[in-house]
Amino acid sequence: MTARPANAHQARLLRLLRDGGPNSRAQLGDQVELSRSKLAVEVDRLLETGLAVADGLAASRGGRRSHNIRLAPHLRFLGATSVDVAVTNAELEVLGHLNHPMDVREGPVAVFEQVLSMAAKLRDSGLAEGFDGAGIGVPGPVRFPEGVPVAPPIMPGWDGFPVREALSQELGCPVTVDNDANLMAMGEQHAGVARSVGGFLCVKIGTGIGCGIVVGGTVHRGATGSAGDIGHIQVEPAGRLCACGNRGCLEAHFSGAALARDAETAARAGQSAELAARLAAAGRLTAADVAAVAAMGDATSLGLIREGGNRVGQVIAGLVSFFNPALVVIGGGVTGLGHTLLAGVRAQVYRRSLPLATGNLPIVLGELGPAAGVTGAARLISDHLFSPV
């Protein structure tokens, strides 16, 4: 990245071109409060920096036709989370996407070696000569200004690790870091089910459970970056011991890891022949195994999913009554549990929350799947780079 916008007007124009694609000068003028002459000056400066380029003739609006303006086609952003790694163009279209399942508890060095290896594969495939910026998501609280995880319960060895600094040195470009649930919310807002929604909750259920909170179109991170850490809200007094040290947390009773553990217990107790067969074959079960067996009609698996949905719904009901969102999105690695999970969540929210808050409240699965996080990560770094220096 050789240039940054010089002022707020140029930043606004870059973001319009990112979110709306190529536009004529006249169409851009309809969306910004600038005189025609000032608009021309700012667009010409963006063309001079190479951040934007002319892109064919625009449709006629009477008089001489002008050129469309678009973001420079050579710009490339890297997005990485959980461990999905993708490269996008400046308009956040995913050009290439790799996935490599990995346990974040292996530590930051092992995880980032894998991320860098996947980034190199994408670059070597011809999709990018280099990266102009990278957005990184981690499944725990992040002190956002510094890009540093802070006491993440399910991430031993990550507390205080300089993620932004380390990856910026390795990749040779600016890096931004955020909680992965926030990035999932940004991805769904940019290109998924939450397009044009100003205030919503995006609940990510994977190894842990987090919630991206969008207020007025912007992610709310809280005073110290820990907003949305709903996995550690208590759902069962004196319940199971959680990784955070407390008892009865939502995450301890229902997450990808908790579901797999409960399924193994049920399999060993002879409650499901199909789960037992999978456990015997692989030596362990995953949330994906539970989803697959549930799809075959296994009553035990369906019951585990339904119970988990009820627990998640219990927490979301409180959030809905407090926040009054326009939409609730459910995403993450357990979305393969599908509508059985969703039914449990909806039943609890619609029963427990006030009718005024739920009367017109959609509760839906995310549209983008694994692409939500990497799209949000690319959106995050582009927000940074498309801001005035």
Side-chain angles (χ1 to χ4, degrees):
M1 191 79 174
T2 58
R4 295 276 296 276
N7 56 47
H9 298 310
Q10 291 179 22
R12 168 75 169 147
L13 291 168
L14 288 172
R15 294 185 187 199
L16 286 172
L17 292 171
R18 177 195 64 189
D19 297 341
N23 263 306
S24 69
R25 292 174 186 253
Q27 289 170 323
L28 290 171
D30 292 340
Q31 300 175 74
V32 296
E33 296 180 359
L34 292 174
S35 67
R36 183 177 298 180
S37 60
K38 178 64 173 173
L39 174 67
V41 168
E42 301 298 357
V43 169
D44 287 343
R45 286 175 177 168
L46 289 177
L47 294 173
E48 290 168 7
T49 64
L51 289 169
V53 297
D55 185 50
L57 291 173
S60 174
R61 293 179 29 148
R64 189 174 64 181
R65 294 170 66 190
S66 66
H67 283 87
N68 273 326
I69 308 298
R70 65 167 296 183
L71 292 174
H74 64 80
L75 294 176
R76 292 292 183 270
F77 299 135
L78 188 76
T81 178
S82 294
V83 175
D84 283 275
V85 177
V87 60
T88 78
N89 61 15
E91 291 157 5
L92 308 192
E93 297 172 315
V94 174
L95 306 178
H97 187 179
L98 297 175
N99 171 265
H100 182 88
M102 193 170 186
D103 190 340
V104 72
R105 287 168 288 208
E106 294 182 35
V109 174
V111 170
F112 288 143
E113 284 180 352
Q114 184 60 48
V115 168
L116 291 171
S117 173
M118 295 163 74
K121 286 182 181 179
L122 289 168
R123 184 178 59 241
D124 295 343
S125 70
L127 293 173
E129 294 182 4
F131 303 111
D132 296 284
I136 307 296
V138 297
V142 173
R143 191 161 60 237
F144 184 69
E146 293 84 19
V148 173
V150 180
I154 63 170
M155 300 170 64
W158 288 77
D159 185 25
F161 187 85
V163 175
R164 186 180 68 184
E165 181 181 345
L167 283 182
S168 182
Q169 289 178 356
E170 293 290 338
L171 292 169
C173 65
V175 171
T176 51
V177 184
D178 203 352
N179 173 265
D180 58 0
N182 290 343
L183 297 184
M184 177 172 287
M186 294 177 72
E188 291 290 347
Q189 182 185 34
H190 181 80
V193 70
R195 285 185 299 270
S196 77
V197 180
F200 67 96
L201 301 175
C202 184
V203 179
K204 179 181 184 292
I205 310 174
T207 304
I209 300 180
C211 180
I213 306 166
V214 177
V215 183
T218 302
V219 170
H220 174 72
R221 296 183 176 88
T224 60
S226 65
D229 197 8
I230 66 170
H232 301 287
I233 293 175
Q234 188 181 71
V235 294
E236 191 72 42
R240 292 174 176 171
L241 181 65
C242 182
C244 72
N246 292 321
R247 286 192 173 274
C249 295
L250 172 63
E251 201 167 285
H253 287 271
F254 184 70
S255 61
L259 180 61
R261 181 183 62 233
D262 289 345
E264 289 182 5
T265 299
R268 293 190 178 100
Q271 297 173 9
S272 166
E274 189 60 39
L275 286 175
R278 287 177 177 249
L279 179 60
R284 60 188 292 268
L285 292 175
T286 66
D289 290 317
V290 181
V293 174
M296 299 164 59
D298 180 71
T300 297
S301 298
L302 288 168
L304 291 173
I305 296 168
R306 193 174 298 112
E307 181 182 356
N310 288 338
R311 292 193 183 278
V312 174
Q314 175 184 338
V315 170
I316 294 177
L319 303 178
V320 166
S321 293
F322 174 75
F323 180 58
N324 190 203
L327 173 71
V328 175
V329 182
I330 309 293
V334 303
T335 50
L337 306 180
H339 291 282
T340 301
L341 172 68
L342 200 60
V345 172
R346 285 172 171 165
Q348 290 296 313
V349 174
Y350 294 147
R351 182 171 68 85
R352 291 172 177 263
S353 298
L354 294 173
L356 183 61
T358 60
N360 191 31
L361 175 66
I363 302 174
V364 300
L365 296 176
E367 280 186 353
L368 300 184
V374 293
T375 299
R379 170 72 180 247
L380 180 70
I381 186 60
S382 69
D383 279 345
H384 171 69
L385 295 174
F386 294 165
S387 298
V389 178

